[in-house]
Amino acid sequence: MKLSIAEGFYLIALDDEEGRILAAAEKTVVPGVISACILELYLLKKIKLDGGNISVIDTIGTGNGILDNVLKKLQTGPSLIEQIKTLSNKFKDIQEDLNALLAQRGILKKEETKLLWIPLSDRMDNANYAFEQEIRNNLKAIVFKSAKPSAAFTVLYSIIDDCNILSEVFKDKDGLIDAEKVGKEIIERSDIDDDLANALRELKNFFS
């Protein structure tokens, strides 16, 4: 993914037309972003997940401000779910940080009172909606072409499913039915290690 998992999740959770968080994700977007950050830090080998507990093993920054802020606040010992709850309270304004980061990259822009996409154009010197479209295409390939998801896309898909916003990607009723079925199976059908798989199962219980 060219964006972080958290950024990809946030873009899907943001209504393209209204420029605000989808109603279905209003209560889950912050813990969803935090969850995505923590699991990406795991994929980057900054932390370990052992029996549901987190161990910080590398505090050197990733270069991504959102991820690095989460990394600084993570503690060795408390469980994944405990830390998601704690950090969700500490980072209540994480949406504003994401807005600023994505605007800086040219993916979002502020217009009047709304955040709007910069439309896809021939000018490719800045990142734009093409990044989100690529994410959507990959998610659809997992469902409709049985593409094997990477670990990052497994995390992204699972969290989108947990937060009940698959319908933002799969707008057709039949397609959504197929997508929800994949959501129930994606952990098992993905080639991810047991620690990550167990963490994703914990998140499904947490968000349910």
Side-chain angles (χ1 to χ4, degrees), residues 39-54:
L39 294 186
E40 182 148 12
L41 290 169
Y42 172 76
L43 294 177
L44 293 171
K45 303 188 185 305
K46 298 294 182 181
I47 65 171
K48 284 184 178 179
L49 296 168
D50 185 14
N53 294 326
I54 289 176

Side-chain angles (χ1 to χ4, degrees), residues 129-146:
Y129 186 75
F131 283 163
E132 188 196 357
Q133 191 59 52
E134 182 179 2
I135 292 171
R136 289 173 179 266
N137 290 343
N138 276 282
L139 295 172
K140 289 177 180 177
I142 293 169
V143 174
F144 300 131
K145 298 181 181 179
S146 299

Side-chain angles (χ1 to χ4, degrees), residues 92-177:
K92 291 181 180 179
D93 295 328
I94 200 166
Q95 294 177 61
E96 296 304 317
D97 295 335
L98 280 163
N99 289 340
L101 177 61
L102 292 168
Q104 182 181 5
R105 293 184 180 182
I107 297 172
L108 294 180
K109 69 176 179 179
K110 187 77 171 177
E111 186 169 299
E112 296 179 354
T113 59
K114 297 193 298 185
L115 282 162
L116 299 175
W117 303 120
I118 291 178
L120 182 61
S121 70
D122 293 334
R123 287 190 65 217
M124 297 300 289
D125 52 336
N126 290 320
N128 53 35
Y129 186 75
F131 283 163
E132 188 196 357
Q133 191 59 52
E134 182 179 2
I135 292 171
R136 289 173 179 266
N137 290 343
N138 276 282
L139 295 172
K140 289 177 180 177
I142 293 169
V143 174
F144 300 131
K145 298 181 181 179
S146 299
K148 196 170 188 64
S150 65
F153 268 100
T154 300
V155 172
L156 177 61
Y157 195 108
S158 189
I159 294 176
I160 289 173
D161 182 36
D162 294 344
C163 295
N164 298 312
I165 54 173
L166 279 175
S167 59
E168 176 60 17
V169 179
F170 301 92
K171 297 183 182 294
D172 177 77
K173 183 178 179 180
D174 290 337
L176 179 58
I177 291 172

